[in-house]
Amino acid sequence: QVQLVESGGGLVQAGGSLRLSCAASGRTFSNYAMGWFRQAPGKEREFVAVISRNGGMTDYKDSVKGRFTISRDNAKNLVYLQMNSLKPEDTAVYYCAARVGYYSTLRNAYDYWGQGTQVTVSS
């Protein structure tokens, strides 16, 4: 099993930046594809970004392409989400997730989830 802990959320003005981190413990980190998802009040949890086990492949939600970057450091068991040019629509609780093997944009494909970190973007 793997345990995930997110950090780095907070309050930021529109146009600002935040860098989220997810620390993993348990099984070898490189065995897992990783993803970032987010959930706003009253809305479904949605895909944001994913990255393959070795970091060689990534995919993003269309509305964050060019603004967000997912990356990982397998030596440190860390995955990051760099968020630039933030918009009020990005306000949500952000979750990191892990699954064994190949990456997926489907939330039900992930086996392990962190507790979430709040991101609030003011206008």
Side-chain angles (χ1 to χ4, degrees):
Q1 296 186 6
V2 61
Q3 298 180 43
L4 307 173
V5 180
E6 304 97 333
S7 62
L11 176 65
V12 64
Q13 292 186 1
S17 298
L18 285 173
R19 189 191 194 194
L20 306 184
S21 299
C22 178
S25 63
R27 301 184 67 178
T28 302
F29 186 55
S30 61
N31 193 40
Y32 297 91
M34 299 294 296
W36 286 98
F37 295 77
R38 67 188 183 188
Q39 187 167 23
K43 297 183 179 180
E44 294 183 352
R45 190 171 301 185
E46 66 179 4
F47 155 74
V48 177
V50 292
I51 189 166
S52 60
R53 288 170 290 177
N54 65 358
M57 292 178 287
T58 60
D59 198 9
Y60 298 89
K61 178 180 175 65
D62 286 346
S63 63
V64 310
K65 288 180 179 177
R67 299 189 297 121
F68 291 10
T69 302
I70 187 171
S71 61
R72 67 191 297 163
D73 185 340
N74 285 353
K76 297 181 178 180
N77 282 22
L78 292 172
V79 62
Y80 304 100
L81 186 68
Q82 178 67 47
M83 304 186 295
N84 299 326
S85 301
L86 283 162
K87 304 175 180 179
E89 306 95 277
D90 297 317
T91 296
V93 176
Y94 283 70
Y95 299 88
C96 66
R99 74 182 306 268
V100 176
Y102 205 67
Y103 72 91
S104 174
T105 62
L106 279 61
R107 66 188 182 197
N108 61 6
Y110 288 82
D111 304 302
Y112 304 100
W113 295 85
Q115 83 289 347
T117 186
Q118 177 71 49
V119 172
T120 302
V121 184
S122 62
S123 60

